[in-house]
Amino acid sequence: MAIRVMLVDDQVLLRTGFRMVLAAQPDMEVVAEAGDGVEALQVLRSTSVDVVLMDVRMPKLDGVETTRRICSEPEPPKVLILTTFDLDEYAFSGLKAGASGFMLKDVPPGELLAAIRSVHSGDAVVAPSTTRRLLDRFAPMLPSTGGEPKHKELERLTDREREVMVLVAQGLSNGEIAARLVLSEATVKTHVGRILTKLGLRDRVQVVVLAYETGLVRAGGHG
């Protein structure tokens, strides 16, 4: 069954370009489009969508608030935020609002398609280079923890799980974490699953944000 994608962007030309790229894929189908957040929310009431490609800077209702409203619904589609700016102040808010990923609009088509497939399968997409810089920039605005991380649930993690969480927060994939810790990829996936369950998090993006908010990982990317 094809992945049902919705394009939300106020620039018609960009939507047309994305639609052409997605239409060429046998496993994807663009089922809806919207030029702003208000229109997007209206369309979603009557259209079944798996993944929303969401612009952040739009008239009427921006992508962050639109994402927040979408993700507050029961069984919402996945949201993949697309932005023109490498260090967009909206992107961090979008991730906190519930987006499953953050990509630049000029990302190569292959990477965009891989991102759509990843969020659809339940994983989260965080372009490591952009996200690290994004979080390093906004980390000073997060509550200062000083000393040990102060998120009560972190105490429930084993030492290995905390180790894996730090590497996830640094943008490493399961394969990269497996190589770093000399574990099988399946074992890493199990650890990540336990981290999500113990901390009540939805996906890797929330792991990244929480790691910065609690001070488990600090600006510069070191735990």
Side-chain angles (χ1 to χ4, degrees):
M1 188 174 175
I3 301 171
R4 296 163 298 191
V5 181
M6 179 179 187
L7 306 176
V8 184
D9 196 301
D10 60 336
Q11 296 182 53
V12 178
L13 194 60
L14 267 174
R15 295 207 308 268
T16 302
F18 285 137
R19 187 171 64 244
M20 289 173 64
V21 171
L22 270 56
Q25 303 304 306
D27 62 338
M28 292 184 195
E29 178 186 4
V30 176
V31 295
E33 294 186 33
D36 60 67
V38 173
E39 185 184 354
L41 293 172
Q42 290 172 343
V43 172
L44 280 170
R45 291 192 189 104
S46 58
T47 308
S48 182
V49 174
D50 298 314
V51 178
V52 178
L53 294 187
M54 178 75 70
D55 186 22
V56 283
R57 302 187 181 204
M58 297 182 294
K60 296 185 183 177
L61 194 65
D62 68 37
V64 174
E65 182 57 30
T66 306
T67 297
R68 186 174 290 111
R69 294 188 191 183
I70 290 173
C71 293
S72 67
E73 294 291 323
E75 298 186 27
K78 306 290 186 181
V79 178
L80 185 57
I81 286 184
L82 295 171
T83 177
T84 312
F85 305 97
D86 201 350
L87 286 176
D88 194 320
E89 65 272 20
Y90 289 108
F92 182 71
S93 300
L95 296 180
K96 286 184 67 64
S100 293
F102 160 65
M103 304 287 283
L104 296 178
K105 285 184 179 177
D106 61 359
V107 67
E111 288 186 30
L112 176 64
L113 296 170
I116 292 170
R117 293 184 181 106
S118 291
V119 297
H120 178 251
S121 69
D123 204 350
V125 176
V126 186
S129 60
T130 56
T131 304
R132 283 283 299 283
R133 290 199 295 278
L134 176 80
L135 289 171
D136 285 350
R137 173 173 169 179
F138 291 107
M141 302 178 193
L142 299 174
S144 177
T145 57
E148 274 298 294
K150 294 181 179 176
H151 193 271
K152 200 79 175 150
E153 282 79 359
L154 290 184
E155 296 172 5
R156 300 169 60 188
L157 300 182
T158 64
D159 289 344
R160 176 64 90 188
E161 286 164 356
R162 281 169 74 108
E163 200 173 6
V164 170
M165 183 173 176
V166 167
L167 295 177
V168 168
Q170 291 176 356
L172 274 65
S173 67
N174 285 354
E176 290 167 337
I177 294 171
R180 179 80 62 90
L181 299 180
V182 197
L183 299 169
S184 73
E185 201 164 333
T187 299
V188 172
K189 194 170 182 180
T190 299
H191 282 313
V192 172
R194 286 178 181 156
I195 291 165
L196 296 177
T197 301
K198 287 183 178 181
L199 301 182
L201 302 177
R202 190 188 61 251
D203 55 38
R204 296 171 84 93
V205 172
Q206 292 193 334
V207 171
V208 175
V209 173
L210 180 64
Y212 272 78
E213 285 183 326
T214 58
L216 186 64
V217 169
R218 295 176 179 82
H222 302 292

